[in-house]
Amino acid sequence: MTTDAKGITVRDVTFGNALPFVFVGGPCQIESRDHALMIATRLAADARAAGVPFVFKGSYDKANRTSIAGQRGIGMDEGLRVLEDVREALGCPVLTDVHAVDQVSAVAQAVDIIQIPAFLSRQTDLLLAAGASGKVVNVKKGQFLAPWDMAAVAAKIASTGNDQIILCDRGASFGYNTLVSDMRALPIMAATGYPVMYDATHSVQAPGAGGQSSGGDRTFAPLLARAAVAVGVAAVFAEAHDDPDNAPSDGPIMLPLDWIAPLLAKLVAIDAVAKG
């Protein structure tokens, strides 16, 4: 993988394609303060034991649900308070999604990394607003985009004078209700000079396959994470939950908490060889 010219430091965590990988994890959506703190504490401990930098992820609103009946989350005001509490309690950077331009200002005051969802990765006004916030911006590659298309996405953000950009792969559409990961996408996106993240759990999603919700198969996520780390990435993203089968969203793809420690141990070993 191309060594990035733009290593990005957030608090005490540095993202770089040639550096040891960062683990970004948390529940799909923030369910409550206590639940978020419980998961964040567990994941932070697992990452610390593995010697891996950790960033907590949680969404206050899941605006792209399959059905109007889908649970969206606890809302922006309460969700941002929870993220601030996690950051204060654990000292780790926090990341969340934005879905509209008018959310960016408030979110930028509460989090360290603003995430652009894959479905919104070509929304110019949203990208410009995120860039103008001055925060690190993690952009998920749209399932409908080629990896080389992400250079133009990054250029929109960089036009604001903000080059703190991370590009994230989460699979590509393959027929109906199916995603496939092309590991060539990782070095292609890294050729932009920006750090690259691999989203292992959303890459095994089956969008809309549940009729009223998305399906997927979490058992493939650790395998794909290992493959991505073998190629070389700046970060691995994985959603995790204490009871994924009963979670309000993304249950089929989220990893049980007890999968994280052994997964990180394997990824650390692979990462050392890939970047040795």
Side-chain angles (χ1 to χ4, degrees):
M1 174 170 285
T2 303
T3 301
D4 58 285
K6 303 179 179 70
I8 294 172
T9 298
V10 188
R11 296 171 73 89
D12 60 348
V13 173
T14 301
F15 293 82
N17 293 327
L19 299 177
F21 76 93
V22 175
F23 173 52
V24 180
C28 174
Q29 61 178 258
I30 299 168
E31 299 172 34
S32 70
R33 179 182 183 276
D34 288 346
H35 186 256
L37 280 168
M38 179 274 293
I39 292 181
T41 300
R42 173 72 178 271
L43 296 181
D46 287 344
R48 186 166 54 249
V52 176
F54 173 65
V55 174
F56 178 75
K57 175 268 168 187
S59 297
Y60 56 81
D61 179 20
K62 305 303 294 184
N64 57 349
R65 296 297 83 196
T66 301
S67 164
I68 190 65
Q71 296 186 51
R72 290 183 53 166
I74 64 176
M76 187 168 73
D77 291 345
E78 185 177 355
L80 293 182
R81 284 194 293 270
V82 170
L83 288 165
E84 290 177 317
D85 287 347
V86 169
R87 181 169 60 184
E88 181 177 350
L90 299 179
C92 64
V94 295
L95 172 155
T96 198
D97 310 276
V98 292
H99 297 92
V101 170
D102 61 6
Q103 297 177 354
V104 173
S105 178
V107 171
Q109 295 179 49
V111 307
D112 302 285
I113 302 173
I114 292 175
Q115 180 164 279
I116 306 297
F119 287 120
L120 300 177
S121 58
R122 286 186 55 169
Q123 294 298 106
T124 300
D125 289 344
L126 184 59
L127 294 170
L128 295 177
S133 75
K135 290 292 183 176
V136 175
V137 181
N138 178 46
V139 189
K140 289 195 174 184
K141 181 182 76 63
Q143 303 92 322
F144 44 86
L145 293 179
W148 44 85
D149 294 334
M150 291 300 284
V153 172
K156 292 181 182 180
I157 300 169
S159 74
T160 68
N162 182 356
D163 66 352
Q164 298 183 99
I165 301 164
I166 301 169
L167 304 179
C168 181
D169 187 73
R170 54 142 304 161
S173 295
F174 186 74
Y176 296 123
N177 303 123
T178 305
L179 299 175
V180 64
S181 287
D182 178 359
M183 293 300 165
R184 297 175 302 174
L186 304 174
I188 290 170
M189 291 196 297
T192 62
Y194 295 107
V196 171
M197 183 185 304
Y198 181 70
D199 181 344
T201 47
H202 286 98
S203 292
V204 299
Q205 191 178 61
Q212 295 297 304
S213 63
S214 291
D217 187 345
R218 70 174 66 96
T219 62
F220 289 110
L223 304 179
L224 291 177
R226 285 153 51 187
V229 170
V231 172
V233 288
V236 173
F237 179 113
E239 290 184 338
H241 198 277
D242 55 310
D243 185 14
D245 289 333
N246 292 298
S249 57
D250 274 356
I253 66 171
M254 281 196 287
L255 306 184
L257 291 178
D258 59 4
W259 287 24
I260 299 300
L263 174 60
L264 291 178
K266 291 179 181 178
L267 296 183
V268 166
I270 297 169
D271 194 54
V273 173
K275 297 172 181 172

